[in-house]
Amino acid sequence: MEAAPVPDGQYTAVVYGLIGGGRCGEAVSLLSRELQKSCRSRGGLSLLGYCHYQLQDFAAAAECYEQLVALHPELDAYRLYQAQALYKAGLYTEALRAASPLLDLPAYQGRALRLQAAIHYAQGDLPAAKSLVEEALAAAAEGGPGAAEDPSERADAEIILGCLLYRQGQHEEASGKFAGAMQVLGYCPELSYNMALCCYAAKQYAPALKHISDIIERGIHQHPELSVGMTTEGIDVRSVGNTLLLHRTALVEAFNLKAAIEYQLRNLKAAQEALTDMPPRAEEELDPVTLHNQALMNMDSQPTEGFEKLQFLLLQNPCPPETFGNLLLLYCKHQYYDLAADVLAENAHLTYKLLTPYLYNFLDAIITCQTAPEEAFHKLDDSAGALTEQLRKLTKQVQEARQNWDDEAVKKAVNEYDETLDKYVPVLMAQAKIYWDMKNYTMVEKIFRKSVEFCNEHEVWKLNVAHVLFMQENKYKEAISFYEPIVKKHYDNILHVSAIVLANLCVSYILTSQNEDAEELMRKIEKGEEQLSYNNPDQNIYHLCIVNLVIGTLYCVKGNYDFGISRVIKSLEPYNKKLSTDTWYYAKRCFLSLLENMSKHMIMLRDSVIQECIQFLKQCELYGRNIPAVIEQPLEEKRMHSGKNTVTYEARLLRALMYKIIGWTG
C-alpha cells in the first residue's frame, strides 16, 4: 500500500500515528521509502521490524533485526527479537543460532531458554524441549541468574510444559497447566484455545465447544472490525489480513477447531459454516490449517480444488501433519491408487514420521489390491487378526473393571475399545470389497459373519450386511431384517436415510409379497418430501424419485418393460426438480437395456409406450442442457467434450436410436 507524502517535520508523528491506528501496511511503505535514503537508521529499522512482525511477515522482520544486531551488537534485545522472528518464520536452525549467545546473559537467559524450548518443540524434539523448560523453571526456583522476576515468565514456562504434556497424550494434566497459567495472566484466548484442544483430543466435545464459544463471543464483542460471520451471511467484505491482533484473538484457531468437532460429529454443514464464519481473508493469506480444513470439508462438492490444496500443503514446510495421511486416503477413496503409490514413494521420510503403522499397513494393502488382490487380502487379514486380538483383550478389561466397580477404568477401556473398533471396521470393509468387486457375494457374507462378535451393533457393518444379502437375490427377507431397523431409527425424519437404502427395502418388500409395507414406506417418503418442499421450495429432493427408479429398473430386469419404463418415466416428473446426473444414470440404463432387447427383437412394446418414451426423451433434452451426464473425476487430464457431457446430448442419442429401431424415417 502506497503511503501519502509526509509534510516536513511531521514524519515521526505520522509513523507513530499509523502504527497506533493499526495501519502497519502503510507504515511499512513509508518507512521503506525513508530507509532508502538512510539505510542505517536505528529508529527506522526498529519500527520497520516491529511493523513486519505485526503483519506476521516474520522473515522480513528477522532481516530488519539482523541488520540492527550488526549495527548495534551491544543491544541484546535486538538479538532476542531476531531469534523470535526467525522462530515464527519456521527458520528453526537459524533461530537457535541467534538465541544461543543470550544464554550467557542473566537478563535474557530465562527468555532464551523458553524460546529454544519452543523451537525444539516445533521440531518435534520433545526431550530437548522438556529439558530446557525444566532448566528455566529450576533457575527461577533457585533465584539464580536465569530466574524469572516476573510471574508471567514462569507462567510462560508452564505453558510450554502444558504443550509437552499435550503431545505426550496427557490431556487432562496439560489442561491443568494452561488453566494455572490463565490464573496468573488473566483471560487469554490462546490459553482458552489450548484447553479446548485438550478437551477435543480427549473427545470431550461439549467442554471444548464451551471454550470455543467464549473465544468467539469475546472476539465479536471486543473486535467487531474483524467481521466475524459476515461471509456466511453472504455479505461481501474485504480481507482483514493476517495481523497480530487477529492472531491474539485466537479466532482463526477457534473456528478451525469448531469445524473439526462438527466434522467428527458428522455435521458437515455446520463444519463448513464454521470455516466461513471466521474473519475473512484472501486465499493467499490463509494459514495451512484453514487451507487443509477447507480442502477436507468441501471435498464432496469441490474435489479438484481440494486435491490442489492438499498437494500444495504437502510441499510446504511446515504443513499440518494430517495432510499426508488425508491426501493418501482421499486418493484411494477416489481410486487414484497410482497417485497414492507415487506420493508414498516420493515422501518416504514422512511415512515413518506422520503415518501410524496401522494407517501405513492399511494404505499399503489398499494400493496392493489393484495388482495383487490375494496378497492384499492376506495383508488385511494380518491387520484384522491383530485388531481382533486387541478387541478381545479390551472386552476382558471392560468386564474386569465392571466387576471391580471401577468406573474410571471402565470408561477408559470402553473408549479404547471404540477406537480399536473404528480401526477394525475399515479393514474388514476393505477385505469384503475385494470379493464384492468379484461379485462373490457369498464370500462377502462369510467375512461379515466372522466379525459379528464385535460388529453386530456397528451401523456401517449392519448396512453393508443388508446390501450383501440384498445382492444375493434369494435372501430378501434377511435383508429386510437389517434394513428395517436402520429405517425405523429415522422414521420420523425419513429423508435422513440414504435413498438407496429406502429403495432396496421397497424392492425387498415387493419381492417378498409385502406390497402394503412397500406402499406405506413410499407414502411416508412422499409426505417427508412434501414437508421439506414446503419449508425449502428451492431444494431438490430425490428420495422418492430414486426409489421409483430402482423399482422400475427391477421390473425392466425381470422383462416387464411396459410397467418398468413407465415407472422410470413417472419417477422423473417434474423434470426441473428430479432430473439430475444421478437420476439420469438410472434412467438411461433402463432405456439402453430396452433398446438392446428391441434391436434383437426379443420384446415388443405397445405404440403408446414407445410414444411415452419419445416424449420423455424430448423432455430430458429440454431440461438437461446444463446437467452433466457424467461427473468427471477431479484429476482427469483429458476432459470430456463439454457439449457431449450433457443429459441433452445423451437423450438426443437415445431418441435417435429409438427412431432407428422402430423404423421411423419422418
Side-chain angles (χ1 to χ4, degrees):
M1 189 180 297
E2 189 63 37
V6 179
D8 289 342
Q10 295 184 28
Y11 181 80
T12 304
V14 168
V15 169
Y16 278 102
L18 290 171
I19 293 171
R23 294 154 65 187
C24 289
E26 292 177 57
V28 164
S29 178
L30 192 61
L31 288 162
S32 299
R33 196 168 65 202
E34 199 63 28
L35 281 166
Q36 287 173 357
K37 303 174 191 173
S38 176
C39 63
R40 297 172 67 86
S41 166
R42 176 186 160 192
L45 280 169
S46 181
L47 286 170
L48 185 60
Y50 173 82
C51 289
H52 279 310
Y53 198 92
Q54 291 293 316
L55 294 168
Q56 297 200 54
D57 186 353
F58 300 116
E63 282 182 28
C64 292
Y65 291 125
E66 185 180 8
Q67 290 180 55
L68 285 163
V69 168
L71 290 168
H72 302 280
E74 74 282 1
L75 297 174
D76 299 307
Y78 290 135
R79 197 177 297 278
L80 178 66
Y81 301 155
Q82 181 196 2
Q84 287 174 332
L86 287 166
Y87 160 63
K88 289 284 192 178
L91 301 167
Y92 300 132
T93 306
E94 294 86 342
L96 284 170
R97 195 182 305 124
S100 289
L102 298 171
L103 294 172
D104 300 325
L105 303 173
Y108 291 98
Q109 188 187 43
R111 279 177 283 180
L113 283 168
R114 292 195 301 278
L115 178 57
Q116 288 199 335
I119 294 166
H120 284 297
Y121 178 86
Q123 290 177 312
D125 188 353
L126 302 188
K130 187 177 182 184
S131 173
L132 286 161
V133 177
E134 286 173 348
E135 187 181 338
L137 286 169
E142 292 166 10
E149 294 176 10
D150 186 345
S152 67
E153 293 196 12
R154 183 176 178 85
D156 286 345
E158 292 288 340
I159 291 167
I160 299 174
L161 273 181
C163 293
L164 287 164
L165 288 165
Y166 172 81
R167 285 284 285 270
Q168 291 164 356
Q170 299 177 48
H171 305 122
E172 195 172 331
E173 294 86 345
S175 189
K177 292 286 184 188
F178 299 136
M182 197 183 284
Q183 286 180 340
V184 175
L185 301 171
Y187 182 83
C188 173
E190 289 165 296
L191 288 175
S192 189
Y193 167 74
N194 287 355
M195 288 190 277
L197 199 59
C198 291
C199 295
Y200 170 74
K203 292 187 168 58
Q204 297 171 0
Y205 297 140
L209 287 168
K210 174 70 174 67
H211 287 299
I212 290 167
S213 177
D214 289 345
I215 294 167
I216 293 170
E217 284 175 16
R218 285 172 183 265
I220 292 170
H221 178 69
Q222 294 173 3
H223 301 286
E225 71 277 13
L226 292 177
S227 305
V228 170
M230 296 292 189
T231 306
T232 304
E233 297 294 326
I235 301 167
D236 191 18
V237 286
R238 60 180 292 182
S239 164
V240 299
N242 278 320
T243 61
L244 201 59
L245 169 67
L246 177 63
H247 177 66
R248 284 173 179 160
T249 62
L251 283 169
V252 169
E253 292 83 353
F255 278 117
N256 270 315
L257 187 56
K258 185 181 181 185
I261 292 170
E262 297 294 359
Y263 188 77
Q264 289 288 346
L265 296 172
R266 293 180 170 78
N267 300 328
L268 188 58
K269 190 176 178 186
Q272 291 168 336
E273 276 188 11
L275 292 179
T276 53
D277 276 346
M278 69 171 63
R281 291 171 295 165
E283 188 167 69
E284 63 271 14
E285 296 173 329
L286 295 178
D287 58 284
V289 175
T290 302
L291 208 60
H292 169 273
N293 288 346
Q294 280 187 353
L296 204 60
M297 290 166 203
N298 296 299
M299 203 70 195
D300 290 342
S301 57
Q302 298 173 325
T304 306
E305 293 88 336
F307 278 121
E308 285 173 357
K309 286 173 181 174
L310 292 174
Q311 288 161 350
F312 167 78
L313 284 171
L314 198 58
L315 300 173
Q316 306 308 302
N317 184 28
C319 78
E322 296 81 6
T323 305
F324 186 49
N326 285 338
L327 179 59
L328 289 166
L329 287 169
L330 287 165
Y331 274 151
C332 291
K333 179 183 176 183
H334 287 264
Q335 300 184 5
Y336 292 120
Y337 303 108
D338 290 346
L339 288 175
D342 289 345
V343 169
L344 267 177
E346 290 164 8
N347 297 278
H349 62 291
L350 296 178
T351 301
Y352 301 103
K353 186 179 176 184
L354 299 179
L355 298 183
T356 61
Y358 160 78
L359 185 53
Y360 174 77
N361 292 334
F362 179 73
L363 288 165
D364 181 45
I366 296 292
I367 294 165
T368 304
C369 186
Q370 310 318 304
T371 51
E374 194 173 326
E375 183 187 343
F377 186 87
H378 288 305
K379 286 184 176 184
L380 290 165
D381 210 36
D382 289 342
S383 294
L387 290 165
T388 299
E389 191 61 35
Q390 205 174 336
L391 286 167
R392 288 202 175 100
K393 283 180 183 174
L394 288 167
T395 303
K396 190 177 177 184
Q397 284 179 24
V398 171
Q399 290 169 349
E400 287 174 356
R402 281 178 178 156
Q403 286 170 2
N404 297 330
W405 300 93
D406 188 342
D407 291 343
E408 195 59 40
V410 169
K411 186 180 174 184
K412 186 183 175 187
V414 167
N415 284 339
E416 283 184 34
Y417 182 92
D418 289 342
E419 285 175 14
T420 308
L421 186 62
D422 285 342
K423 291 179 182 177
Y424 176 63
V425 169
V427 173
L428 182 72
M429 295 304 152
Q431 281 186 295
K433 187 178 183 297
I434 292 171
Y435 285 101
W436 179 278
D437 291 341
M438 297 175 184
K439 295 186 167 49
N440 187 347
Y441 302 122
T442 308
M443 192 63 193
V444 177
E445 184 185 351
K446 187 179 175 183
I447 290 167
F448 285 153
R449 289 201 182 281
K450 276 170 62 180
S451 59
V452 70
E453 175 187 354
F454 307 110
C455 302
N456 62 331
E457 294 299 320
H458 200 284
E459 294 296 323
V460 172
W461 182 85
K462 289 192 282 190
L463 178 62
N464 283 285
V465 170
H467 287 333
V468 79
L469 291 169
F470 178 83
M471 291 302 292
Q472 291 180 67
E473 296 187 358
N474 60 351
K475 295 186 176 179
Y476 292 115
K477 283 193 175 179
E478 291 95 324
I480 289 170
S481 71
F482 280 93
Y483 279 132
E484 270 187 344
I486 295 168
V487 173
K488 285 180 178 174
K489 186 178 177 182
H490 302 283
Y491 205 66
D492 292 336
N493 295 294
I494 197 81
L495 300 183
H496 287 183
V497 182
S498 165
I500 201 66
V501 170
L502 297 171
N504 286 358
L505 181 56
C506 274
V507 167
S508 300
Y509 280 146
I510 291 165
L511 292 173
T512 53
S513 303
Q514 300 178 55
N515 289 11
E516 287 182 9
D517 291 330
E519 287 170 11
E520 184 187 338
L521 180 58
M522 291 178 76
R523 281 195 295 271
K524 181 71 177 173
I525 298 166
E526 192 172 4
K527 282 181 184 175
E529 287 197 357
E530 284 173 2
Q531 183 63 45
L532 196 59
S533 293
Y534 179 77
N535 296 333
N536 300 289
D538 297 328
Q539 186 176 344
N540 291 343
I541 315 144
Y542 300 106
H543 280 64
L544 191 62
C545 170
I546 288 174
V547 170
N548 279 313
L549 279 169
V550 172
I551 293 170
T553 303
L554 169 73
Y555 278 96
C556 290
V557 169
K558 300 288 183 184
N560 187 349
Y561 283 97
D562 276 19
F563 181 81
I565 285 290
S566 296
R567 188 88 180 214
V568 167
I569 290 169
K570 284 183 173 58
S571 71
L572 265 74
E573 295 172 355
Y575 299 98
N576 64 323
K577 293 277 189 183
K578 303 298 182 185
L579 187 61
S580 71
T581 303
D582 289 337
T583 55
W584 173 246
Y585 170 77
Y586 283 105
K588 72 181 175 187
R589 289 173 72 202
C590 294
F591 273 85
L592 286 166
S593 172
L594 169 67
L595 291 168
E596 183 184 3
N597 282 297
M598 285 174 70
S599 67
K600 293 176 181 176
H601 301 287
M602 293 174 68
I603 58 166
M604 291 287 290
L605 279 187
R606 289 179 287 115
D607 287 350
S608 60
V609 177
I610 288 173
Q611 284 305 313
E612 196 179 355
C613 289
I614 289 168
Q615 287 305 313
F616 167 76
L617 292 171
K618 283 182 176 178
Q619 291 297 312
C620 289
E621 283 181 51
L622 181 64
Y623 288 99
R625 294 181 191 280
N626 299 315
I627 300 172
V630 177
I631 300 295
E632 293 183 83
Q633 285 293 326
L635 299 178
E636 289 297 326
E637 290 183 13
K638 191 176 180 182
R639 313 302 289 182
M640 295 176 69
H641 189 289
S642 58
K644 292 183 178 180
N645 186 24
T646 63
V647 169
T648 295
Y649 179 81
E650 290 193 353
R652 194 172 291 145
L653 271 180
L654 288 174
R655 190 156 61 94
L657 280 170
M658 182 159 277
Y659 284 146
K660 189 174 182 180
I661 289 166
I662 64 176
W664 184 80
T665 56

